[in-house]
Amino acid sequence: MTAPSLRPARSTDAGKVGAILSGFVDATPWMPRLHSRAEDVSFAGQMIDRGWVTVALQGAEVAGFLAQNGDDIHALYIKPSAQRQGCGRALLHHAQGLRDRLTLWTFQANTGAQAFYAAHGFHEVARTDGAENDEGLPDIQMQWQKEPA
C-alpha cells in the first residue's frame, strides 16, 4: 500500500468530491438526505472555489477530501474502498501542519469519526441536541491544539 498523495482540489474534482459526500449519506442509515446528488456536487464546487478543499489521491483517483476554512474543518470524507488506508490520516495531518488549532463538528451517532479524531489529538468541547444544524441530529464539537514547542 503506497501513501496517498495530496493536492488542492481543482474545479474538475467537484463531481468526485460531491459523489464521496453523497455516498456517505447513502450508506449511513441515520443520516437524512437533505440535498440531491446534484446539489452535493454544486456544494463541493463551491467549497473548491473558495479554496477550502484538499483531496487525497490513490494513484490518479480521488479517494477522499478535507474541506477547511481557517481553523474550521467543515468536512472530511473518504470513499469506503479507500478507508483505513491512510487517506484520512494524511489529510488530517496536513491540516494540523497548517494551523495551531483546529475545530470541527461530528454527529454523536458517528462514533467511528469520534474515535478517529480522538486518536489524532482532538477532544470534545461541546455537545448539542442538533436543533441548530440542518440535519437536526445531536452533534459534538471537537478541538485540537498544537503542543507547545
Side-chain angles (χ1 to χ4, degrees), residues 95-102 121 144-149:
Q96 289 172 319
L98 298 174
R99 311 299 290 189
D100 290 338
R101 177 180 170 272
L102 294 170
W144 168 84
Q145 186 82 33
K146 186 178 283 186
E147 294 291 329

Side-chain angles (χ1 to χ4, degrees), residues 1-20:
M1 176 176 66
T2 61
S5 59
L6 306 180
R7 67 164 168 76
R10 303 174 185 140
S11 60
T12 55
D13 295 322
K16 293 171 185 138
V17 169
I20 293 169

Side-chain angles (χ1 to χ4, degrees), residues 6 15 18 31-32 35 37 44-46 62 66-67 74-75 84 86 92 94 96-97 106 117-118 132 135-136 146:
L6 306 180
M31 177 64 82
H35 306 284
R37 287 164 187 76
Q46 291 170 21
V62 174
L66 182 139
H74 290 272
R84 303 197 188 295
L92 194 55
H94 174 73
Q96 289 172 319
T106 188
Y117 294 125
E132 296 194 25
E135 294 83 0
K146 186 178 283 186

Side-chain angles (χ1 to χ4, degrees), residues 1-6 56-59 61 63-64 78-91 116:
M1 176 176 66
T2 61
S5 59
L6 306 180
L57 303 170
Q58 287 184 319
E61 291 294 315
I78 308 299
K79 289 181 2 181
S81 63
Q83 290 176 0
R84 303 197 188 295
Q85 297 179 31
C87 292
R89 180 178 58 245
L91 286 163
F116 172 78

Side-chain angles (χ1 to χ4, degrees), residues 12-134:
T12 55
D13 295 322
K16 293 171 185 138
V17 169
I20 293 169
L21 181 57
S22 283
F24 173 79
V25 174
D26 292 344
T28 307
W30 49 262
M31 177 64 82
R33 176 160 287 285
L34 301 178
H35 306 284
S36 70
R37 287 164 187 76
E39 288 170 325
D40 287 343
V41 171
S42 175
F43 179 62
Q46 291 170 21
M47 292 190 297
I48 291 168
D49 287 347
R50 291 179 181 143
W52 292 3
V53 180
T54 300
V55 294
L57 303 170
Q58 287 184 319
E61 291 294 315
V62 174
F65 73 95
L66 182 139
Q68 176 184 357
N69 180 21
D71 291 347
D72 298 319
I73 294 177
H74 290 272
L76 174 56
Y77 292 93
I78 308 299
K79 289 181 2 181
S81 63
Q83 290 176 0
R84 303 197 188 295
Q85 297 179 31
C87 292
R89 180 178 58 245
L91 286 163
L92 194 55
H93 285 179
H94 174 73
Q96 289 172 319
L98 298 174
R99 311 299 290 189
D100 290 338
R101 177 180 170 272
L102 294 170
T103 60
L104 57 84
W105 289 91
T106 188
F107 295 109
Q108 290 182 28
N110 197 346
T111 56
Q114 293 164 48
F116 172 78
Y117 294 125
H120 290 90
F122 283 77
H123 64 276
E124 181 179 327
V125 294
R127 282 184 180 243
T128 79
D129 63 4
E132 296 194 25
N133 65 51
D134 292 342

